[in-house]
Amino acid sequence: MKSTKEQLIIDIENLLNRYEGVKPTHIDPALLQFLDRNTLLSIIDSILRQQEKTNESNIEWLEQFKQY
């Protein structure tokens, strides 16, 4: 079974690679010695917030094409 930090690295990679047409991101596992669990969780939170903002922007952009 993978350690919590290893799983968090995998989760970050999955978040970064969830869009088609994007070059896959691979994070060096050696980073585990430098990053603690809280830092990894913070990175995940930051990615999710950025993706949420992007989705909100897309919704606003798509609204202009909506017919009422």
Side-chain angles (χ1 to χ4, degrees):
M1 181 170 204
K2 297 190 184 305
S3 76
T4 301
K5 286 171 57 171
E6 287 174 326
Q7 185 57 52
L8 290 172
I9 291 284
I10 291 168
D11 292 344
I12 291 169
E13 286 179 343
N14 288 337
L15 284 170
L16 293 173
N17 294 325
R18 65 194 276 189
Y19 296 102
E20 291 182 29
V22 176
K23 184 178 178 183
T25 299
H26 300 285
I27 300 172
D28 185 348
L31 288 175
L32 292 175
Q33 61 184 322
F34 300 107
L35 300 173
D36 64 9
R37 184 177 183 278
N38 288 336
T39 301
L40 294 169
L41 288 171
S42 177
I43 291 169
I44 290 173
D45 181 58
S46 177
I47 293 169
L48 290 172
R49 287 178 192 266
Q50 289 175 24
Q51 290 177 350
E52 183 178 303
K53 286 179 185 175
T54 300
N55 287 339
E56 288 173 2
S57 294
N58 289 343
I59 290 171
E60 290 173 9
W61 180 80
L62 288 171
E63 279 293 316
Q64 69 181 329
F65 300 106
K66 197 174 192 178
Q67 293 182 1
Y68 293 96

